[in-house]
PDB file of all heavy atoms in Angstrom:
ATOM      1  N   ALA A 389     119.861  98.128  83.705  1.00 98.00           N
ATOM      2  CA  ALA A 389     120.056  97.679  85.088  1.00 98.00           C
ATOM      3  C   ALA A 389     119.780  98.891  85.972  1.00 98.00           C
ATOM      4  O   ALA A 389     120.247  99.998  85.673  1.00 98.00           O
ATOM      5  CB  ALA A 389     121.487  97.194  85.293  1.00 98.00           C
ATOM      6  N   SER A 390     119.009  98.697  87.032  1.00 98.00           N
ATOM      7  CA  SER A 390     118.730  99.845  87.912  1.00 98.00           C
ATOM      8  C   SER A 390     118.873  99.422  89.367  1.00 98.00           C
ATOM      9  O   SER A 390     118.698  98.249  89.707  1.00 98.00           O
ATOM     10  CB  SER A 390     117.356 100.434  87.604  1.00 98.00           C
ATOM     11  OG  SER A 390     116.347  99.466  87.735  1.00 98.00           O
ATOM     12  N   PHE A 391     119.205 100.399  90.191  1.00 98.00           N
ATOM     13  CA  PHE A 391     119.709 100.112  91.539  1.00 98.00           C
ATOM     14  C   PHE A 391     118.911 100.846  92.610  1.00 98.00           C
ATOM     15  O   PHE A 391     118.362 101.921  92.366  1.00 98.00           O
ATOM     16  CB  PHE A 391     121.187 100.515  91.619  1.00 98.00           C
ATOM     17  CG  PHE A 391     121.969 100.133  90.390  1.00 98.00           C
ATOM     18  CD1 PHE A 391     122.485 101.096  89.518  1.00 98.00           C
ATOM     19  CD2 PHE A 391     122.135  98.790  90.065  1.00 98.00           C
ATOM     20  CE1 PHE A 391     123.159 100.729  88.358  1.00 98.00           C
ATOM     21  CE2 PHE A 391     122.812  98.407  88.908  1.00 98.00           C
ATOM     22  CZ  PHE A 391     123.330  99.388  88.047  1.00 98.00           C
ATOM     23  N   TYR A 392     118.946 100.246  93.808  1.00 98.00           N
ATOM     24  CA  TYR A 392     118.267 100.887  94.935  1.00 98.00           C
ATOM     25  C   TYR A 392     119.100 100.649  96.187  1.00 98.00           C
ATOM     26  O   TYR A 392     120.219 100.143  96.128  1.00 98.00           O
ATOM     27  CB  TYR A 392     116.833 100.349  95.050  1.00 98.00           C
ATOM     28  CG  TYR A 392     115.842 101.318  95.691  1.00 98.00           C
ATOM     29  CD1 TYR A 392     116.194 102.635  95.985  1.00 98.00           C
ATOM     30  CD2 TYR A 392     114.559 100.911  95.989  1.00 98.00           C
ATOM     31  CE1 TYR A 392     115.277 103.507  96.565  1.00 98.00           C
ATOM     32  CE2 TYR A 392     113.627 101.787  96.566  1.00 98.00           C
ATOM     33  CZ  TYR A 392     114.002 103.085  96.855  1.00 98.00           C
ATOM     34  OH  TYR A 392     113.111 103.948  97.421  1.00 98.00           O
ATOM     35  N   LEU A 393     118.517 100.983  97.312  1.00 98.00           N
ATOM     36  CA  LEU A 393     119.292 100.961  98.561  1.00 98.00           C
ATOM     37  C   LEU A 393     119.848  99.595  98.919  1.00 98.00           C
ATOM     38  O   LEU A 393     120.841  99.498  99.646  1.00 98.00           O
ATOM     39  CB  LEU A 393     118.441 101.517  99.720  1.00 98.00           C
ATOM     40  CG  LEU A 393     117.267 100.700 100.271  1.00 98.00           C
ATOM     41  CD1 LEU A 393     116.832 101.307 101.605  1.00 98.00           C
ATOM     42  CD2 LEU A 393     116.102 100.623  99.347  1.00 98.00           C
ATOM     43  N   TYR A 394     119.222  98.515  98.373  1.00 98.00           N
ATOM     44  CA  TYR A 394     119.637  97.162  98.758  1.00 98.00           C
ATOM     45  C   TYR A 394     120.660  96.545  97.820  1.00 98.00           C
ATOM     46  O   TYR A 394     121.055  95.404  98.004  1.00 98.00           O
ATOM     47  CB  TYR A 394     118.407  96.246  98.866  1.00 98.00           C
ATOM     48  CG  TYR A 394     117.318  96.510  97.845  1.00 98.00           C
ATOM     49  CD1 TYR A 394     117.509  96.286  96.491  1.00 98.00           C
ATOM     50  CD2 TYR A 394     116.075  96.998  98.251  1.00 98.00           C
ATOM     51  CE1 TYR A 394     116.513  96.534  95.566  1.00 98.00           C
ATOM     52  CE2 TYR A 394     115.064  97.250  97.333  1.00 98.00           C
ATOM     53  CZ  TYR A 394     115.289  97.008  95.985  1.00 98.00           C
ATOM     54  OH  TYR A 394     114.300  97.265  95.071  1.00 98.00           O
ATOM     55  N   ASN A 395     121.061  97.247  96.760  1.00 98.00           N
ATOM     56  CA  ASN A 395     122.003  96.633  95.815  1.00 98.00           C
ATOM     57  C   ASN A 395     123.458  96.799  96.265  1.00 98.00           C
ATOM     58  O   ASN A 395     123.791  97.740  96.984  1.00 98.00           O
ATOM     59  CB  ASN A 395     121.801  97.201  94.407  1.00 98.00           C
ATOM     60  CG  ASN A 395     120.486  96.737  93.808  1.00 98.00           C
ATOM     61  OD1 ASN A 395     119.608  97.534  93.495  1.00 98.00           O
ATOM     62  ND2 ASN A 395     120.321  95.440  93.678  1.00 98.00           N
ATOM     63  N   THR A 396     124.275  95.835  95.811  1.00 98.00           N
ATOM     64  CA  THR A 396     125.672  95.792  96.262  1.00 98.00           C
ATOM     65  C   THR A 396     126.637  95.775  95.074  1.00 98.00           C
ATOM     66  O   THR A 396     126.232  95.451  93.953  1.00 98.00           O
ATOM     67  CB  THR A 396     125.927  94.504  97.075  1.00 98.00           C
ATOM     68  OG1 THR A 396     125.740  93.384  96.190  1.00 98.00           O
ATOM     69  CG2 THR A 396     124.982  94.377  98.261  1.00 98.00           C
ATOM     70  N   ARG A 397     127.882  96.067  95.369  1.00 97.00           N
ATOM     71  CA  ARG A 397     128.933  95.967  94.346  1.00 97.00           C
ATOM     72  C   ARG A 397     129.053  94.529  93.834  1.00 97.00           C
ATOM     73  O   ARG A 397     129.309  94.297  92.650  1.00 97.00           O
ATOM     74  CB  ARG A 397     130.278  96.364  94.950  1.00 97.00           C
ATOM     75  CG  ARG A 397     130.447  97.851  95.071  1.00 97.00           C
ATOM     76  CD  ARG A 397     131.705  98.155  95.846  1.00 97.00           C
ATOM     77  NE  ARG A 397     132.075  99.524  95.600  1.00 97.00           N
ATOM     78  CZ  ARG A 397     133.137  99.914  94.911  1.00 97.00           C
ATOM     79  NH1 ARG A 397     134.005  99.051  94.460  1.00 97.00           N
ATOM     80  NH2 ARG A 397     133.371 101.189  94.713  1.00 97.00           N
ATOM     81  N   GLU A 398     128.861  93.566  94.729  1.00 98.00           N
ATOM     82  CA  GLU A 398     128.956  92.150  94.320  1.00 98.00           C
ATOM     83  C   GLU A 398     127.885  91.847  93.276  1.00 98.00           C
ATOM     84  O   GLU A 398     128.102  91.054  92.360  1.00 98.00           O
ATOM     85  CB  GLU A 398     128.765  91.210  95.524  1.00 98.00           C
ATOM     86  CG  GLU A 398     129.887  91.250  96.557  1.00 98.00           C
ATOM     87  CD  GLU A 398     129.946  92.553  97.348  1.00 98.00           C
ATOM     88  OE1 GLU A 398     128.875  93.126  97.655  1.00 98.00           O
ATOM     89  OE2 GLU A 398     131.069  93.025  97.631  1.00 98.00           O
ATOM     90  N   GLU A 399     126.730  92.478  93.405  1.00 98.00           N
ATOM     91  CA  GLU A 399     125.681  92.233  92.408  1.00 98.00           C
ATOM     92  C   GLU A 399     126.070  92.827  91.047  1.00 98.00           C
ATOM     93  O   GLU A 399     125.725  92.263  90.005  1.00 98.00           O
ATOM     94  CB  GLU A 399     124.351  92.816  92.896  1.00 98.00           C
ATOM     95  CG  GLU A 399     123.754  92.013  94.057  1.00 98.00           C
ATOM     96  CD  GLU A 399     122.419  92.578  94.505  1.00 98.00           C
ATOM     97  OE1 GLU A 399     122.360  93.787  94.806  1.00 98.00           O
ATOM     98  OE2 GLU A 399     121.440  91.815  94.582  1.00 98.00           O
ATOM     99  N   ILE A 400     126.769  93.953  91.084  1.00 98.00           N
ATOM    100  CA  ILE A 400     127.254  94.524  89.813  1.00 98.00           C
ATOM    101  C   ILE A 400     128.257  93.551  89.187  1.00 98.00           C
ATOM    102  O   ILE A 400     128.245  93.321  87.976  1.00 98.00           O
ATOM    103  CB  ILE A 400     127.941  95.899  90.043  1.00 98.00           C
ATOM    104  CG1 ILE A 400     127.022  96.877  90.782  1.00 98.00           C
ATOM    105  CG2 ILE A 400     128.444  96.492  88.717  1.00 98.00           C
ATOM    106  CD1 ILE A 400     125.767  97.238  90.085  1.00 98.00           C
ATOM    107  N   ASP A 401     129.100  92.964  90.031  1.00 98.00           N
ATOM    108  CA  ASP A 401     130.064  91.981  89.518  1.00 98.00           C
ATOM    109  C   ASP A 401     129.327  90.798  88.883  1.00 98.00           C
ATOM    110  O   ASP A 401     129.723  90.311  87.825  1.00 98.00           O
ATOM    111  CB  ASP A 401     130.980  91.485  90.648  1.00 98.00           C
ATOM    112  CG  ASP A 401     131.883  92.600  91.179  1.00 98.00           C
ATOM    113  OD1 ASP A 401     132.079  93.601  90.449  1.00 98.00           O
ATOM    114  OD2 ASP A 401     132.369  92.488  92.319  1.00 98.00           O
ATOM    115  N   ARG A 402     128.238  90.361  89.523  1.00 98.00           N
ATOM    116  CA  ARG A 402     127.448  89.245  88.955  1.00 98.00           C
ATOM    117  C   ARG A 402     126.845  89.646  87.605  1.00 98.00           C
ATOM    118  O   ARG A 402     126.807  88.851  86.668  1.00 98.00           O
ATOM    119  CB  ARG A 402     126.303  88.848  89.901  1.00 98.00           C
ATOM    120  CG  ARG A 402     126.709  88.187  91.201  1.00 98.00           C
ATOM    121  CD  ARG A 402     126.606  86.657  91.164  1.00 98.00           C
ATOM    122  NE  ARG A 402     125.419  86.107  90.536  1.00 98.00           N
ATOM    123  CZ  ARG A 402     124.269  85.852  91.168  1.00 98.00           C
ATOM    124  NH1 ARG A 402     124.145  86.095  92.451  1.00 98.00           N
ATOM    125  NH2 ARG A 402     123.253  85.333  90.506  1.00 98.00           N
ATOM    126  N   LEU A 403     126.374  90.907  87.519  1.00 98.00           N
ATOM    127  CA  LEU A 403     125.827  91.418  86.245  1.00 98.00           C
ATOM    128  C   LEU A 403     126.901  91.354  85.162  1.00 98.00           C
ATOM    129  O   LEU A 403     126.658  90.868  84.049  1.00 98.00           O
ATOM    130  CB  LEU A 403     125.343  92.864  86.454  1.00 98.00           C
ATOM    131  CG  LEU A 403     125.056  93.680  85.194  1.00 98.00           C
ATOM    132  CD1 LEU A 403     123.772  93.190  84.515  1.00 98.00           C
ATOM    133  CD2 LEU A 403     124.896  95.178  85.518  1.00 98.00           C
TER     134      LEU A 403
END
Side-chain angles (χ1 to χ4, degrees):
S390 57
F391 318 112
Y392 207 8
L393 71 166
Y394 36 66
N395 290 119
T396 64
R397 282 172 162 249
E398 292 69 36
E399 289 182 306
I400 305 298
D401 294 340
R402 291 262 317 271
L403 166 72

